Amino acid sequence: MIKKIFPCLLFYLFFFQIGYSQKQSLRINKIEKSLDSLSIDISGLNEKVDFSLSDTELPVFIRAIASEHKINVSIDATLNKIKISQDFSNASVKNVLLYLCNEYQLTIDLLGSILSIKRYIKPFKARDIKAKYSSEKDLFSVDLQNDTLFVAFKEITNVTGKNLVFSLDDIGNQKLTSYIKDKPFESAIDKIALANNLLVTKTKDNYYLFESANSPNQKGITDTRRQKPARYKNSNFYFKVQDTIKQIIDVDFKNIEIASIIKDIGYDLNINMYTSSLLTGAGNTTVKATNITYDNLLTKVLENTNFSYKKTNNIYYFGEGKQPSLTSSVTIPLLHRSIEIMNSSVQSNQNSSFNSNQSYGNSSNSVNQNYGSYSSLNTSTNLNSNLNSNVGNRSAFQDYSNQSDAIIDLIPKKITEGLQITTDVEQNAFLVNGNAQKIEAFKRFLQTIDKPVPVILIEVMIIEVSNSSSVSTGLDLGIGDVPTTDSGTIFSGVDLTLGANSINKIIGGFNGFGSVNIGKVVPNFYARIQALETNGHLKIRSTPKLSTLNGHQATLSRGERSYYAVTQTNTIGTQNPVITDVKNYYPIDADLSIGIRPLVSGDGNITLSINVLQSSFNGERIDTEAPPGMDSREFTSTIRVKDKDIVILGGIEETSRNNSGSGVPFLSKVPIIKWFFSKRTRTASKSKLSVLIKSTIIN
C-alpha cells in the first residue's frame, strides 16, 4: 500500500512545484518589465555592480547600490531582519534587484522615479466557511481553519442571526481555528473564544463582545465582572460606561496602575490622547465611585502625583506637571465680586484746600495786609487736632487709608501655589498662568466665593427736639443821661419803658388825692416795667438714605465751619533784625456725622456697627482769636436686627436751668412789695437727640 501511495505523493509535489514556479515566474516577469521601462530614464539600473557580502543586512546593501548608481529607493523597515551573504560580479543593478525579489519574496512598486521595495504579500482569497445553526434545537456547527476573525464572525452572524462584535484595533487581524459539531450556540462560542485566547461576554442588549484575554477589561458594558487580566489577579478592576456623550462612568479599582485606568477608560470612551512622558511613574490608586465624569476621575487620581493633564480641543495631553505643554494662560473674570476689596469709600476732597501751605499773612511792621492762603494743617501749631480730636475723627471705627486688598488674599496658599496670578482691575479679572490642572482647581475655588454680595439700604431718621422757657419780672427805676421817651409793649408780655413826662402825669393823678402830694420827678428819670414769659419748641428732622455693600461702611456728615487765628512771630536778619508777625487762620468743624457698617449673617439678620457724633458751636470764645467753644455728643453701638426692623438709638438729653434776681436789700424779700423793689429772671431749656435706623437687604 505504501509503495502505491509514495509515487502518487511525489507526482503531486512535482506538479505543485511546477505550478508555484510558474506563478513565481509570472510575478518576477512583471517586475522585470516595470524595471525595463524605468531604465530608459534611470540609466543606473543598467550599470554593473561588484559586491562581496557576508552576513549584511539587506537594507544596507540596497542603499549602497542606490547611492552608488543614483537610484531613489524606499525600503520597508521590516526588511532589517534579512541577512545576506552573496557575491555579485559583473551583474546589472536590475538583475540584482530581480534576484533579491525572487530569493527573499520581495516586490517593487514604482512611484514615479522612486522604487518602493517591500515584502510580497499574497492576495487574500476568502475561504468558504462551513457553518450551520438550528434555532429550534439551539445546535450550532462550524469549521474554522485559520480564518480571519472578521470573515468568520460575518459568516456566523449571517447563519445564526447572533451579533458578534470586536475591536478592530485590538484583535481585528487575529486568525481563528476551531471545529464545533452540534453544540448549543453560547457554549460553542465560549469554547471558540477559549481556544483562540479570547474573552467573550454577552451584553444586556444581546451582543456577544470579544476581546483579547491578555488585555485588561476595557469595555465596561457587561452585566457581570469579566475575568481579570493576570497582573490584576488580586485586585479589583472594573468600570462601566453610563454615558459616552457626557463621559459618565462607574468605577471600582483597587491598587490599579493609574496609567492603565487612564488608557483603558479613555479607549472605551473613544478619547483622543497625547502622552509626552510615560505615566507608569504615576503609581497605583484605589477608587470607587458612581456617576463620575472622566475629567473628575483624572483630577482625583492625578491629584497627589507629579503628573497632570490638559484638555484642548477635545484632546487630552498627559505628562509631568512642569512640562510647558501642560501649562496654560487664561483670563478668569469675576461675575459678582470685585477684584479688589475696598476698605473704605472714596473720601471727599472738602478739606483739600486747607491742606496746602496757605495762610492769611498779617505783618506788624506793615500797614499793608498780605492775604495769602491757609497754612498746612499738618504743622506743629495745628491746634484744631489737639483741641478737638474727636470731631476730626468723625467716627470711632472709620478708616481713611483708602487702600484696597485684592481678593486673591482670601484664597488658600495651597491652591495658588505654583501659579502666576495677576489682577486686571479694568476687566475685573484674574490673569493666571501655570499648570492646567491647578488652574482648574483655582477656577473651582473662585466659584465658591464668587457669589453676589448683599446690598443693604440704610434709612436714618435724625430727630432733635429743643424746648426752652424764660420768665422775666421786675421794676427798674433810674435816671438816664438824657430824657427818656415812652416805648415798649404791653401785650403779649409787658416790657414797657416810661419817661419823666408820663411818670409825672401818673404822679399828678395821685396829687390832690386827699393829703397826698408826691411831687414830680426830674426830666431824666425813667421807669421800666417788665413781665415777660417766652416759650420755644424746635424740632429738626432729617431722613437720609444710604446704600452700601455688606461689610462696607456708609458715612453721612453735615455741619458748619469756623476759623481761629494763630499769630506766628518771625525774626528776619541778625544785624538789623526785622520782626514780622504772621497770622494764620485754621478751620474747625462742628457737624453731625453718622457711620454705619452692616454685616449680614447666614440667617438673614444684620449686625450694625454704629457711631454717631454731634458737635456744635456754643458761641463762646476765651479770646477773640481763640478757637470757638464747642459742645459735642457721641455714642457708639453694635446691635443685631432683623431685615427691615427699626432700631432707636440716642436719647442723649441735655437740660439746663437758671434762676437769678437782683433788688433793693431787705425790701426785695418782703412779700408783695418785693415786686416793686427787685428784678427776677428764670430760664429752662431741654434738648434731646434721637436716631432711628432701618436696614433693608435689597439683593
Side-chain angles (χ1 to χ4, degrees), residues 120-126:
Y120 172 70
I121 300 175
K122 295 180 181 180
F124 173 76
K125 182 179 180 181

Side-chain angles (χ1 to χ4, degrees), residues 526-696:
Y526 71 89
R528 183 179 181 186
I529 304 171
Q530 191 175 34
L532 180 65
E533 180 176 359
T534 61
N535 291 282
H537 179 77
L538 178 63
K539 184 176 182 180
I540 301 175
R541 179 173 179 176
S542 177
T543 57
K545 294 184 179 181
L546 306 173
S547 294
T548 186
L549 287 176
N550 184 38
H552 293 255
Q553 180 178 325
T555 303
L556 170 69
S557 178
R558 183 192 63 189
E560 58 180 323
R561 170 167 291 182
S562 182
Y563 298 90
Y564 62 92
V566 175
T567 302
Q568 182 177 356
T569 302
N570 298 320
T571 302
I572 303 174
T574 55
Q575 295 181 353
N576 298 312
V578 177
I579 299 176
T580 303
D581 292 335
V582 178
K583 183 178 293 185
N584 298 322
Y585 292 88
Y586 296 99
I588 185 171
D589 295 331
D591 56 14
L592 171 65
S593 63
I594 298 176
I596 302 175
R597 177 178 294 149
L599 289 174
V600 180
S601 57
D603 57 1
N605 289 335
I606 306 173
T607 301
L608 299 174
S609 183
I610 305 169
N611 177 263
V612 179
L613 174 65
Q614 184 195 34
S615 59
S616 59
F617 297 119
N618 56 21
E620 298 179 359
R621 292 178 184 260
I622 59 176
D623 187 79
T624 56
E625 295 183 351
M630 297 184 66
D631 298 325
S632 63
R633 291 178 286 182
E634 180 180 10
F635 62 84
T636 301
S637 178
T638 301
I639 58 174
R640 175 170 293 180
V641 297
K642 293 183 178 180
D643 184 25
K644 299 181 181 180
D645 277 2
I646 299 177
V647 60
I648 300 177
L649 302 175
I652 298 179
E653 186 173 313
E654 181 180 351
T655 303
S656 63
R657 295 180 180 276
N658 182 30
N659 190 354
S660 60
S662 60
V664 179
F666 182 71
L667 295 178
S668 62
K669 297 180 179 179
V670 177
I672 300 176
I673 65 173
K674 67 180 181 179
W675 300 106
F676 298 99
F677 297 97
S678 66
K679 180 180 180 182
R680 297 182 180 278
T681 301
R682 288 182 299 176
T683 60
S685 64
K686 179 189 294 185
S687 63
K688 184 175 182 180
L689 174 67
S690 297
V691 180
L692 283 71
I693 299 175
K694 177 183 179 182
S695 54
T696 305

Side-chain angles (χ1 to χ4, degrees), residues 224-235:
T224 59
R225 302 185 184 197
R226 288 174 277 177
Q227 179 181 350
K228 302 181 184 71
R231 67 179 184 274
Y232 299 130
K233 184 176 180 180
N234 298 322
S235 304

Side-chain angles (χ1 to χ4, degrees), residues 263-425:
K263 175 184 175 183
D264 297 336
I265 298 179
Y267 178 87
D268 201 48
L269 292 174
N270 196 25
I271 288 175
N272 298 318
M273 296 183 183
Y274 172 79
T275 303
S276 58
S277 59
L278 295 178
L279 297 177
T280 53
N284 294 6
T285 188
T286 298
V287 58
K288 183 176 181 180
T290 58
N291 293 328
I292 186 173
T293 63
Y294 184 64
D295 288 358
N296 287 340
L297 179 64
L298 291 178
T299 300
K300 295 301 180 183
V301 299
L302 295 175
E303 186 174 14
N304 297 319
T305 69
N306 294 327
F307 294 85
S308 183
Y309 78 95
K310 175 182 177 182
K311 183 179 180 182
T312 305
N313 297 327
N314 293 324
I315 300 177
Y316 287 79
Y317 297 86
F318 295 92
E320 295 185 1
K322 296 181 180 179
Q323 291 178 344
S325 60
L326 296 180
T327 61
S328 299
S329 296
V330 298
T331 301
I332 307 175
L334 294 182
L335 301 179
H336 306 288
R337 302 287 297 271
S338 59
I339 203 73
E340 292 183 348
I341 302 175
M342 302 298 180
N343 291 330
S344 62
S345 302
V346 177
Q347 299 301 316
S348 171
N349 293 326
Q350 183 179 359
N351 295 333
S352 62
S353 61
F354 302 100
N355 290 333
S356 56
N357 238 345
Q358 297 177 343
S359 64
Y360 279 122
N362 185 8
S363 174
S364 61
N365 293 339
S366 175
V367 180
N368 234 346
Q369 297 286 339
N370 297 323
Y371 292 99
S373 52
Y374 301 106
S375 63
S376 171
L377 295 179
N378 295 326
T379 62
S380 59
T381 58
N382 187 355
L383 301 180
N384 184 25
S385 59
N386 296 331
L387 294 175
N388 196 1
S389 60
N390 288 337
V391 176
N393 289 336
R394 297 194 176 216
S395 171
F397 57 80
Q398 188 171 352
D399 180 12
Y400 282 114
S401 62
N402 198 27
Q403 296 177 349
S404 301
D405 296 325
I407 201 171
I408 190 67
D409 295 337
L410 302 179
I411 303 175
K413 298 298 182 183
K414 185 177 180 180
I415 295 178
T416 60
E417 185 178 2
L419 297 177
Q420 297 178 359
I421 304 174
T422 57
T423 58
D424 187 343
V425 178

Side-chain angles (χ1 to χ4, degrees), residues 80-269:
N80 291 330
K81 299 180 180 179
I82 300 176
K83 304 290 185 178
I84 183 173
S85 298
Q86 186 71 42
D87 293 333
F88 296 99
S89 177
N90 198 28
S92 66
V93 175
K94 179 184 70 173
N95 290 333
V96 172
L97 295 177
L98 290 174
Y99 168 79
L100 295 177
C101 290
N102 183 70
E103 186 70 18
Y104 299 103
Q105 296 298 306
L106 305 179
T107 186
I108 300 176
D109 293 336
L110 302 181
L111 303 173
S113 61
I114 301 175
L115 280 63
S116 177
I117 304 174
K118 54 189 176 182
R119 292 184 183 274
Y120 172 70
I121 300 175
K122 295 180 181 180
F124 173 76
K125 182 179 180 181
R127 189 181 68 87
D128 292 335
I129 299 174
K130 295 180 181 180
K132 64 178 181 178
Y133 177 66
S134 174
S135 58
E136 295 179 357
K137 299 180 181 180
D138 188 27
L139 295 177
F140 174 67
S141 300
V142 69
D143 182 11
L144 301 175
Q145 299 178 12
N146 201 31
D147 296 304
T148 59
L149 185 142
F150 173 78
V151 176
F153 280 10
K154 181 178 180 181
E155 182 64 22
I156 294 173
T157 300
N158 290 335
V159 172
T160 63
K162 310 288 187 180
N163 293 300
L164 282 65
V165 295
F166 62 94
S167 172
L168 184 62
D169 295 334
D170 189 13
I171 57 177
N173 295 324
Q174 184 164 339
K175 302 295 182 65
L176 301 180
T177 300
S178 292
Y179 179 77
I180 304 294
K181 179 68 174 178
D182 294 335
K183 290 296 181 180
F185 178 78
E186 292 189 358
S187 176
I189 288 294
D190 184 62
K191 298 306 182 288
I192 292 174
L194 179 63
N196 293 276
N197 196 29
L198 297 174
L199 291 176
V200 61
T201 306
K202 185 180 180 180
T203 66
K204 292 181 178 180
D205 48 358
N206 294 322
Y207 282 83
Y208 293 88
L209 180 62
F210 285 79
E211 62 182 336
S212 174
N214 296 324
S215 64
N217 171 13
Q218 60 186 20
K219 299 305 173 186
I221 59 175
T222 59
D223 295 336
T224 59
R225 302 185 184 197
R226 288 174 277 177
Q227 179 181 350
K228 302 181 184 71
R231 67 179 184 274
Y232 299 130
K233 184 176 180 180
N234 298 322
S235 304
N236 286 344
F237 191 101
Y238 169 76
F239 66 89
K240 184 177 182 180
V241 176
Q242 298 287 5
D243 191 330
T244 57
I245 304 300
K246 297 180 180 179
Q247 299 180 346
I248 298 176
I249 52 180
D250 296 341
V251 296
D252 185 4
F253 300 128
K254 183 178 180 181
N255 196 28
I256 302 298
E257 289 182 355
I258 294 176
S260 296
I261 294 174
I262 294 174
K263 175 184 175 183
D264 297 336
I265 298 179
Y267 178 87
D268 201 48
L269 292 174

